[in-house]
Amino acid sequence: MIALPLAYRAEQALAWHGGQAVTHARFAADVAALAARLPAAPAVLNLCENRYHFMTAFVAAGGRRQQTLLPSSRAPAALNALLDAHPGCYALCDEPIAGFAGHALDVREGRATAGDAGAMPVDASAPAILAHTSGSSGAASAHQKTWAELCASARLSAAVLARHAGQALPLNVIATVPAQHMYGLEFSVMLPLAAGCAAHEGRPLFFDDLARVAAEVPAPRLLLTTPLHLRKALEAGVTLPPLALIVSATAPLDADDAEAAEQRFGAPVCEVYGCTEAGSVATRRTALDECWRLHPGLRLEARGDGFVVSAPHLAMPAPVADRFELLDDTRFHLLGRNSDMLKVAGKRASLVELTRQLLMIPGVRDAVVFVPDGSSGDEPRPAALVEAPGLDERDILVALSAAVDPVFVPRPLRKVAALPRDSLGKLSRAALLELLDRG
């Protein structure tokens, strides 16, 4: 058994609400009150938008030995599919869930009014979550994590981030990403639960909200975000109180954006590499380093046609879908996903690099290059979707043709009003194909 928060201190902050600290003692009382209300069930969908509500529901369910299901999407069809796949499960929420066919319990009802129940014990070996991948490279898949795995990974990540920040723990986390994603879970939920940090309860998506939320937590502040949100913040000229560290993940971060963010916000920008299968694996300071450095104790090695990550807290080596150039035992270059490589007429190109070239064209706001269904044979032909209000498709094709080999120029290339990005800025293959077919 382990107790969460692991380093339980009754008066230490675990979360921030309206500029006020929510202590471990308050959290323990809220967890105990909610746990007493939970129905018997093998699993639960935690759909709480408020980060503190999510943490409370997460630990209360763990104390009742209920595994938390993290959906790949909040679309009603995806949520109801999980209901069908896990008979007897229900949902915990803090606002109505449109189109949800199962039983939902509102965590805001019946909160504790006083008292300190002590840290909630959970079985370290019990499954904590069943996380579903985003489906960016195909169908979503599910991966189970125990409480011990999540806690060990969070403590390791916290030590690495403290080194990047040049600050002793605890750090106060402000996150623009949801708790239901592995990145958001590990860094905005498990850092408070397992590593003594504290997180703001909100998820500020608009820049005025981001500035307000950042001002509601004391230094040292850690901003947890994505490349897309960071780029938009730079374009909007956002002003924030002093940050100790900016952390980015979920998609490749452009080195120029990282450098601009460091200059604007006066904080180092740390990029995290990880995956649902293994959690966070490595970091780099993108403005200064091209290579990635593994977390202490982790090992990345070639196995068969791919690579695996090994770590003391992982039950077995975890396969990863990317390709790497291993520099030594601790450093590597990330070459992209196996599925990202194109080979046409004896020439090779990366979908990530083709997308980067599109994004470098003046007037292009957003873009993606991918291989549609039916084009993955011996001579695959990439397609592209581009957001570029002031350009026409011919302008874009002419500019791109000057930068890449003609055999890799996407056809079709279609302009769209906006790409169908999810809350983390990710693009599912299904959404891309649907948008391409509409054209």
Side-chain angles (χ1 to χ4, degrees):
M1 300 290 284
I2 56 175
L4 297 174
L6 291 182
Y8 183 81
R9 297 182 178 88
E11 299 308 313
Q12 180 174 322
L14 179 110
W16 295 93
H17 165 71
Q20 300 298 311
V22 181
T23 65
H24 286 194
R26 173 79 251 183
F27 176 70
D30 287 341
V31 167
L34 178 59
R37 296 174 52 220
L38 299 185
V44 58
L45 273 163
N46 190 335
L47 302 178
C48 295
E49 292 282 359
N50 179 288
R51 208 169 305 272
Y52 180 70
H53 294 163
F54 181 96
M55 286 192 280
T56 305
F58 187 37
V59 177
R64 293 287 302 273
R65 299 186 64 86
Q66 297 177 6
Q67 180 176 226
T68 292
L69 308 177
L70 300 184
S72 61
S73 165
R74 292 182 72 91
L79 300 181
N80 292 328
L82 283 177
L83 283 181
D84 294 338
H86 299 272
C89 80
Y90 65 104
L92 290 170
C93 62
D94 52 9
E95 59 182 46
I97 310 168
F100 184 63
H103 171 60
L105 184 69
D106 193 324
V107 302
R108 295 168 298 180
E109 300 171 2
R111 290 185 64 189
T113 56
D116 178 357
M120 169 67 77
V122 299
D123 184 346
S125 64
I129 61 166
L130 188 68
H132 294 77
T133 59
S134 64
S136 56
S137 58
S141 57
H143 300 275
Q144 186 172 273
K145 300 286 181 184
T146 68
W147 285 98
E149 288 172 338
L150 290 179
C151 291
S153 183
R155 291 194 296 270
L156 186 57
S157 295
V160 170
L161 296 187
R163 187 193 74 228
H164 278 288
Q167 295 273 356
L169 295 173
L171 298 169
N172 292 308
V173 181
I174 306 145
T176 67
V177 298
Q180 285 82 2
H181 186 272
M182 274 298 296
Y183 170 45
L185 181 87
E186 183 170 351
F187 289 94
S188 70
V189 173
M190 293 308 303
L191 255 62
L193 293 180
C197 296
H200 192 280
E201 66 177 353
R203 183 185 160 212
L205 294 178
F206 300 105
F207 300 121
D208 288 347
D209 292 336
L210 178 58
R212 173 186 56 78
V213 164
E216 288 181 354
V217 302
R221 303 176 183 88
L222 184 158
L223 174 60
L224 191 71
T225 191
T226 66
L228 180 65
H229 206 253
L230 189 58
R231 188 184 315 124
K232 298 294 186 184
L234 291 170
E235 292 172 355
V238 174
T239 299
L240 298 175
L243 301 173
L245 183 66
I246 299 170
V247 177
S248 176
T250 73
L253 175 63
D254 184 81
D256 290 340
D257 287 345
E259 183 178 2
E262 290 198 354
Q263 292 176 355
R264 174 157 189 83
F265 300 118
V269 176
C270 165
E271 191 174 3
V272 173
Y273 171 76
C275 57
T276 303
E277 296 86 344
S280 64
V281 170
T283 61
R284 67 176 178 179
R285 186 170 171 185
T286 312
L288 303 179
D289 301 321
E290 290 186 358
C291 69
W292 296 83
R293 186 173 297 275
L294 288 165
H295 292 347
L298 271 64
R299 182 174 180 83
L300 177 65
E301 56 188 335
R303 182 170 297 182
D305 294 332
F307 290 84
V308 298
V309 172
S310 303
H313 62 273
L314 296 176
M316 60 184 65
V320 288
D322 291 302
R323 299 175 304 108
F324 309 90
E325 177 190 0
L326 303 180
L327 304 177
D328 53 36
D329 287 345
T330 62
R331 298 178 307 132
F332 63 86
H333 284 142
L334 179 61
L335 303 180
R337 287 186 175 269
N338 294 319
S339 58
D340 282 346
M341 291 304 299
L342 293 175
K343 184 177 181 181
V344 179
K347 302 174 182 180
R348 293 180 181 271
S350 159
L351 294 175
V352 171
E353 177 59 23
L354 293 174
T355 298
R356 191 180 75 85
Q357 292 292 342
L358 265 178
L359 291 169
M360 291 176 65
I361 298 172
V364 172
R365 292 183 179 176
D366 200 2
V368 62
V369 180
F370 63 104
V371 177
D373 290 344
S375 300
S376 55
D378 294 336
E379 297 289 320
R381 170 63 69 178
L385 299 172
V386 184
E387 179 188 345
L391 303 176
D392 62 31
E393 292 174 358
R394 184 178 179 280
D395 295 331
I396 301 167
L397 284 169
V398 168
L400 185 62
S401 297
V404 306
D405 191 290
V407 301
F408 296 116
V409 173
R411 296 188 186 279
L413 182 148
R414 294 206 175 110
K415 281 185 57 181
V416 295
L419 292 181
R421 296 189 179 275
D422 66 13
S423 57
L424 286 166
K426 286 180 171 285
L427 296 163
S428 76
R429 180 171 178 81
L432 292 178
L433 292 173
E434 180 183 354
L435 192 55
L436 185 67
D437 288 343
R438 271 190 233 155

